[in-house]
Amino acid sequence: MSLSLLDNQPLKDAMAATSQAVERLMEPLLAVPSGPEARVVEAMRYAFFSGGKRLRPFLVLASADLFGVSKKQALRVAAAVECVHCYSLVHDDLPAMDDDDMRRGKPTVHIAFDEATAILAGDALMTMAFEILSDELSHPDPNVRLRLIRNLARASGHHGMVGGQMIDLSANTHKLGEAEVYRLQQMKTGALISFAAEAGAVLGHASPQAVSSLQGYARDLGLAFQIADDLLDVEGDPREVGKATGKDADAGKATLLDIMGVERARKQAEILANQAIEHLSDFDDKAALLRAVAHFAIFRRT
């Protein structure tokens, strides 16, 4: 079976609704003040409201639906993880990192504003995520809030996304093997996706078995998603992708495409997507959108 976003209208509608709901929640939280700090808030808004798939927020809401979690609570966690994701994109685009001029079809934050403002905007988006999670509105149980904060901190920091980015940077001088690239991708991309997929289980006090199933789903989904990203960098149309393509090879970045080749990598992404779906076998039809998003991850064009 193969599904694309355009082939699955319920998935398309659900992802669009997630994006709109997250933006409605964040709009008052990112109100621009009247003082000189307004510029950094404007940069935060520029980064956050610039579109994107909102995959991570969608995973939070979809996993929360499995356990009957309040939509209001799940939406706040969804907004928090998207704040961290947007911060990571702002910093990844900086000249000291990937040095990108375009993101989501628009000038990157450091181009639209300046490097110092971009750094501060990323910092502020990251810390805002934890401000959102710590609020009682996110969950009345302080233990749940602490668990979410701990999990997001671990997924974002040197155990996860930041550590993966450091390994990625080191690949310029050290050739990585297949196992090392898998670890890199699990940390840089997979850790935040895992947090999002597990968040609904945390909010819903789910069983360890349910948490383990979602962890397996997210692990395979994250790897499939990253392979698809690498394929888009090689084969994608910059007008559709929303940023320059072909930069990974130019920068000497470590990807599975370098090791496997395009066709084997494409097949591996499909295998991983199917494995992700198998992890959801204990769930009923409520997991239909989670299954569909595994196919979306590898057949998308942006």
Side-chain angles (χ1 to χ4, degrees):
M1 178 178 68
S2 65
L3 292 171
S4 71
L5 182 61
L6 294 177
D7 294 330
N8 192 315
Q9 192 62 40
L11 177 60
K12 181 179 179 182
D13 292 344
M15 294 188 78
T18 294
S19 182
Q20 293 165 6
V22 167
E23 290 187 6
R24 282 196 301 270
L25 186 147
M26 288 298 297
E27 181 66 43
L29 297 180
L30 285 176
V32 180
S34 58
E37 72 274 22
R39 181 171 173 81
V40 74
V41 180
E42 289 168 353
M44 292 167 70
R45 291 178 61 88
Y46 183 88
F48 194 93
F49 295 112
S50 62
K53 294 173 285 295
R54 309 294 192 198
L55 172 65
R56 293 152 191 83
F58 173 79
L59 291 173
V60 174
L61 294 180
S63 66
D65 279 346
L66 297 177
F67 308 104
V69 173
S70 158
K71 180 73 173 290
K72 290 182 179 179
Q73 293 172 4
L75 194 56
R76 289 182 61 85
V77 179
V81 72
E82 188 67 0
C83 282
V84 170
H85 177 56
C86 290
Y87 126 70
S88 74
L89 299 182
V90 173
H91 281 197
D92 280 357
D93 289 337
L94 289 167
M97 295 286 188
D98 292 347
D99 194 16
D100 277 315
D101 294 339
M102 297 294 292
R103 168 74 65 178
R104 295 170 175 170
K106 297 169 57 178
T108 49
V109 177
H110 70 274
I111 296 294
F113 292 82
D114 56 72
E115 286 186 43
T117 302
I119 292 169
L120 291 174
D123 292 346
L125 283 167
M126 177 181 63
T127 53
M128 188 168 205
F130 297 103
E131 179 183 349
I132 292 170
L133 291 183
S134 67
D135 195 298
E136 289 184 2
L137 292 173
S138 297
H139 201 282
D141 185 344
N143 291 318
V144 169
R145 298 199 303 274
L146 285 172
R147 188 175 171 189
L148 289 168
I149 289 168
R150 181 191 63 202
N151 288 358
L152 184 56
R154 189 173 183 86
S156 306
H158 72 277
H159 295 291
M161 187 174 64
V162 169
Q165 178 72 353
M166 188 72 253
I167 297 172
D168 199 13
L169 291 173
S170 73
N172 294 331
T173 56
H174 168 64
K175 187 172 179 60
L176 303 182
E178 186 171 330
E180 292 173 301
V181 175
Y182 269 118
R183 180 169 179 263
L184 155 65
Q185 305 300 6
Q186 285 174 335
M187 293 172 70
K188 183 178 177 181
T189 303
L192 207 58
I193 287 176
S194 291
F195 168 84
E198 294 170 39
V202 174
L203 286 165
H205 297 284
S207 68
Q209 180 179 343
V211 173
S212 178
S213 294
L214 287 170
Q215 286 173 337
Y217 165 82
R219 181 183 62 248
D220 290 334
L221 175 66
L223 288 170
F225 186 88
Q226 185 58 54
I227 293 174
D229 250 12
D230 296 339
L231 287 167
L232 284 172
D233 187 69
V234 172
E235 303 175 331
D237 183 337
R239 292 169 297 182
E240 289 187 286
V241 178
K243 61 180 180 179
T245 56
K247 293 198 67 176
D248 287 351
D250 293 343
K253 282 185 171 290
T255 72
L256 288 172
L257 270 66
D258 296 330
I259 297 169
M260 297 181 171
V262 169
E263 289 310 313
R264 185 183 161 208
R266 197 190 314 280
K267 289 178 182 177
Q268 183 65 14
E270 292 186 25
I271 290 169
L272 287 163
N274 289 327
Q275 286 178 182
I277 290 169
E278 288 174 11
H279 287 294
L280 301 174
S281 60
D282 289 341
F283 299 105
D284 57 21
D285 290 345
K286 289 190 293 186
L289 289 177
L290 286 173
R291 295 184 181 99
V293 83
H295 286 285
F296 157 70
I298 60 172
F299 290 109
R300 62 198 168 87
R301 299 177 69 183
T302 62

